[in-house]
Amino acid sequence: MSTVIIFASKSGTAEKCSKMLSEKLPGEVKVIDIGKNPNPDFSDYDNVIIGASVRAGQIQKAIKEFVGKNLDSLKSKSVGVFLCMGGDRSQFDEYLKQNFPGEFLDACKAKGFFGGEFNMERLGFFSRTIVKALSKGKPIPKLFEENIQAFADSFKK
């Protein structure tokens, strides 16, 4: 069984989660940053996992375009999707629906809420300022490794 994880990440959280997930999956696993490889070939893989981070309710444009352009091919694979985001799981389903076509979501074997984290070193000044202002007095986001493991387990079956 072979798996490709195609992700987009602004501050590095989706990249970190993609690598963590890759270590938990069986067989050959390749991790591809769509920012560095905008047209990845996934034809030789059994499983395709799409990962993105959420900012102001939106995922990266490159992931939206990739899924839209490859929808029919993706539906012929065993697919999954995960989101990295702060806050709690309550907005997860809403963010999936507003960022991905229903046909894609219906085809997904697994949908994962992996949590989030602030990686201030990778954010620009403007983004750091906004994050600090919006997060004041709120719980610090964290990654949920148990969710990553549960997601990986769904691809072992």
Side-chain angles (χ1 to χ4, degrees), residues 109-121:
K109 183 176 185 175
K111 299 173 188 135
F113 165 67
F114 289 0
E117 63 183 7
F118 293 141
N119 189 348
M120 299 302 229
E121 302 82 46

Side-chain angles (χ1 to χ4, degrees), residues 95-135:
Y95 289 155
L96 284 175
K97 288 177 187 168
Q98 69 188 41
N99 285 287
F100 293 99
E103 287 179 78
F104 171 74
L105 294 174
D106 291 344
C108 285
K109 183 176 185 175
K111 299 173 188 135
F113 165 67
F114 289 0
E117 63 183 7
F118 293 141
N119 189 348
M120 299 302 229
E121 302 82 46
R122 290 193 52 179
L123 296 175
F125 173 76
F126 184 69
S127 293
R128 272 195 317 270
T129 304
I130 290 174
V131 166
K132 285 178 185 176
L134 292 176
S135 64

Side-chain angles (χ1 to χ4, degrees), residues 24-152:
K24 298 177 184 308
L25 292 166
E28 174 197 349
V29 181
K30 183 171 185 173
V31 178
I32 298 174
D33 180 346
I34 202 163
K36 295 177 182 172
N37 182 357
N39 297 302
D41 178 14
F42 59 92
S43 59
D44 292 337
Y45 293 92
D46 302 307
N47 303 315
V48 180
I49 298 171
I50 305 296
S53 57
V54 177
R55 289 220 191 289
Q58 296 298 308
I59 64 166
Q60 292 82 359
K61 183 179 176 184
I63 289 291
K64 281 186 182 183
E65 289 175 352
F66 175 79
V67 170
K69 183 172 73 173
N70 295 289
L71 185 57
D72 288 334
S73 298
L74 287 167
K75 290 188 323 186
S76 72
K77 305 284 184 177
S78 183
V79 292
V81 62
F82 71 83
L83 296 179
C84 297
M85 52 187 259
D88 59 31
R89 194 185 187 297
S90 65
Q91 295 176 300
F92 175 69
D93 292 327
E94 176 187 334
Y95 289 155
L96 284 175
K97 288 177 187 168
Q98 69 188 41
N99 285 287
F100 293 99
E103 287 179 78
F104 171 74
L105 294 174
D106 291 344
C108 285
K109 183 176 185 175
K111 299 173 188 135
F113 165 67
F114 289 0
E117 63 183 7
F118 293 141
N119 189 348
M120 299 302 229
E121 302 82 46
R122 290 193 52 179
L123 296 175
F125 173 76
F126 184 69
S127 293
R128 272 195 317 270
T129 304
I130 290 174
V131 166
K132 285 178 185 176
L134 292 176
S135 64
K136 196 170 197 164
K138 294 184 181 172
I140 296 173
K142 68 174 193 158
L143 295 180
F144 297 103
E145 288 191 48
E146 64 275 13
N147 293 6
I148 297 171
Q149 184 63 59
F151 186 94

